[in-house]
Amino acid sequence: EQNYKQLFNSSALKKPKIVSKILDHITYSHKSNKIALIVIDGMSFWQYNNIKSLYPSSFDCNEDFTFSWLPSITQLSRQALFRGDFPDKEYVQNPKNEEKLWQKYWINKGIDKFEIRYNHDKIDTSNLDRITKFAIVLKDLDDKMHSSTDYTDLKGLTQNWIERSEIIKNIAELIESGFMVFITSDHGNILTNGWR
């Protein structure tokens, strides 16, 4: 709590300490690589571990922690991630605006628009030859979290989503197409009781 504000201006060279630094970290360390950034809206750590438990041994995995933007809501945190900066109070959260932020970030880094792709609620692995910067937003887990009554319910819904979404197969296809795949969440979730 005392050090959170320092994260806004932290260096992204070694690791992104907050979501707004993820793109700077990728740019510094992997700009010349083909990048696929998968943002799973509202994913908690235990849900990520359920996904990770299905990774084949061929996946070379590095893990670390990154803080959400506070308050940790999609409109601020995911916007900060795709903007690569402080969120804008006037921003309207929707897939088109996210795509514009993603494109603007990479065009400002010298990437041609035809190399940039954004998918919302799907992973289209067709025609990836010319794509070098690929953002994918999956929001099913956030929807399931908001509609769940408890963790037992959410656990079953999470397992169903992992199988139905074919997330592991899609990650494998991206890797086979030469992408470095980064998986993150814009914010997590935790079971709470309402205070009113």
Side-chain angles (χ1 to χ4, degrees):
E1 188 175 340
Q2 292 173 347
N3 299 323
Y4 178 77
K5 287 187 177 179
Q6 294 172 11
L7 300 176
F8 299 158
N9 299 315
S10 63
S11 170
L13 301 188
K14 289 185 181 178
K15 67 170 260 177
K17 294 177 184 167
I18 190 166
V19 291
S20 58
K21 298 291 184 174
I22 288 174
L23 295 185
D24 287 346
H25 174 74
I26 291 172
T27 300
Y28 176 77
S29 302
H30 310 287
K31 182 181 175 189
S32 61
N33 296 78
K34 291 177 75 168
I35 299 300
L37 175 64
I38 301 174
V39 182
I40 303 175
D41 189 2
M43 177 178 62
S44 71
F45 184 63
W46 69 264
Q47 288 171 309
Y48 168 72
N49 279 329
N50 284 7
I51 295 168
K52 181 181 84 167
S53 71
L54 299 174
Y55 287 174
S57 58
S58 61
F59 284 13
D60 181 19
C61 218
N62 294 313
E63 298 173 330
D64 214 325
F65 294 92
T66 300
F67 286 95
S68 172
W69 198 275
L70 292 178
S72 63
I73 58 174
T74 297
Q75 184 164 344
L76 295 178
S77 208
R78 200 156 75 213
Q79 179 198 163
L81 194 163
F82 281 112
R83 187 180 298 281
D85 202 351
F86 284 68
D88 180 355
K89 292 177 185 176
E90 305 302 315
Y91 176 80
V92 177
Q93 178 68 41
N94 62 52
K96 271 287 174 219
N97 285 340
E98 269 175 17
E99 183 174 21
K100 287 176 188 173
L101 290 176
W102 177 251
Q103 288 177 349
K104 181 179 179 184
Y105 181 88
W106 288 111
I107 288 169
N108 286 341
K109 300 295 180 188
I111 304 298
D112 290 319
K113 190 172 181 179
F114 69 83
E115 297 179 78
I116 304 166
R117 181 183 287 178
Y118 170 91
N119 282 174
H120 185 84
D121 269 349
K122 65 180 178 182
I123 303 178
D124 178 3
T125 57
S126 65
N127 303 315
L128 290 176
D129 295 342
R130 297 172 61 185
I131 304 300
T132 64
K133 305 298 178 264
F134 190 6
I136 300 150
V137 174
L138 303 172
K139 66 178 201 60
D140 281 357
L141 284 187
D142 189 69
D143 293 341
K144 293 177 188 323
M145 176 264 295
H146 285 296
S147 64
S148 294
T149 54
D150 56 37
Y151 273 143
T152 304
D153 188 23
L154 187 54
K155 182 180 179 187
L157 291 170
T158 299
Q159 286 305 121
N160 182 24
W161 175 80
I162 291 169
E163 293 168 18
R164 185 181 48 77
S165 70
E166 298 184 321
I167 183 97
I168 304 299
K169 176 180 169 242
N170 286 313
I171 293 169
E173 286 179 11
L174 289 166
I175 292 169
E176 287 168 18
S177 296
F179 285 88
M180 292 187 73
V181 179
F182 293 82
I183 300 172
T184 188
S185 183
D186 48 359
H187 63 86
N189 73 73
I190 189 166
L191 183 65
T192 60
N193 292 317
W195 59 281
R196 284 194 257 186

